[in-house]
Amino acid sequence: MVKEIARQVEIPEGVAVTVDGNTVTVKGPKGEISRQLSYPEIEIRKEDSHLVVNSRLDRKRQRAMVGTLAAHIRNMIKGVTEGYEYKMKVVYSHFPIQLKAAADELIINNFLGERKPRSAKILPGTKVNLGKDEVVITGIDKEHVGQTMANIEQATRVRGFDIRIFQDGIYLVDKR
């Protein structure tokens, strides 16, 4: 006897979801996200007002991937309805950090008094707003917003100095 594993993801009002083979497309008030979601022996289908992610195999890896794919779809739905927002704080004690947002990168000048500017890649679909001592990253794709935040944090990593004394950098403060 084969036991099926299934997870259901509710589709809220105002959100349109289409499943075409392995591609799941979610459209909502904030935009549209399309993503390839595939794994052997796992299928995604639409039933009425929810999506069903199921596997006919009852194995540990399939069970884990069913939950993972369902979580990805929930994140896509949340992204097109509410969006994601990460707030970062610019911290410096020795040299004032100057930020400038270009088309696809954030230029960080005067970090620890360095003459050469550092840069962090801004992924497509994310917006970076600069305040006095604050950086706000917004977007509908959770992975792109999170990776952009990580790029900025890594670009301001202190190398060659004692990090207990030189605590300068741009750090995550709040996620929504």
Side-chain angles (χ1 to χ4, degrees):
M1 184 174 168
V2 177
K3 181 182 171 189
E4 272 195 16
I5 308 161
R7 292 270 173 101
Q8 291 187 358
V9 179
E10 285 293 320
I11 302 171
E13 287 290 322
V15 176
V17 179
T18 57
V19 180
D20 183 28
N22 295 331
T23 305
V24 177
T25 305
V26 180
K27 293 180 188 174
K30 292 205 177 248
E32 177 182 339
I33 301 176
S34 186
R35 188 160 175 192
Q36 292 276 111
L37 298 173
S38 68
Y39 196 78
E41 300 295 325
I42 294 179
E43 70 168 350
I44 302 169
R45 67 179 184 274
K46 186 176 178 182
E47 292 180 358
D48 299 329
S49 66
H50 57 271
L51 284 177
V52 177
V53 182
N54 75 333
S55 172
R56 284 177 269 121
L57 292 178
D58 187 18
R59 294 199 176 123
K60 187 176 186 179
R61 183 157 288 162
Q62 264 71 19
R63 216 175 305 127
M65 282 307 294
V66 164
T68 299
L69 295 180
H72 284 310
I73 294 168
R74 275 193 294 277
N75 287 340
M76 291 166 68
I77 290 171
K78 183 182 176 199
V80 298
T81 54
E82 302 170 28
Y84 291 97
E85 179 181 87
Y86 285 24
K87 290 185 181 178
M88 302 180 80
K89 180 101 170 120
V90 179
V91 178
Y92 56 88
S93 57
H94 299 89
F95 300 96
I97 298 172
Q98 297 156 359
L99 301 173
K100 188 169 42 176
D104 61 342
E105 67 179 354
L106 180 71
I107 310 294
I108 303 152
N109 286 313
N110 202 32
F111 181 70
L112 295 177
E114 296 173 343
R115 291 174 192 254
K116 185 179 176 194
R118 295 185 180 199
S119 68
K121 185 171 171 40
I122 299 172
L123 293 176
T126 59
K127 277 181 42 180
V128 175
N129 299 321
L130 304 173
K132 183 172 172 8
D133 284 341
E134 187 177 64
V135 178
V136 180
I137 305 164
T138 56
I140 60 172
D141 191 344
K142 183 176 187 173
E143 292 181 12
H144 284 194
V145 173
Q147 187 61 53
T148 300
M149 184 275 311
N151 291 345
I152 293 170
E153 204 170 66
Q154 287 297 308
T156 58
R157 225 173 72 213
V158 176
R159 298 179 192 96
F161 295 101
D162 188 353
I163 59 169
R164 295 171 295 180
I165 296 170
F166 291 89
Q167 295 180 353
D168 300 23
I170 305 174
Y171 302 105
L172 178 67
V173 179
D174 186 29
K175 284 197 244 187
R176 290 186 191 162

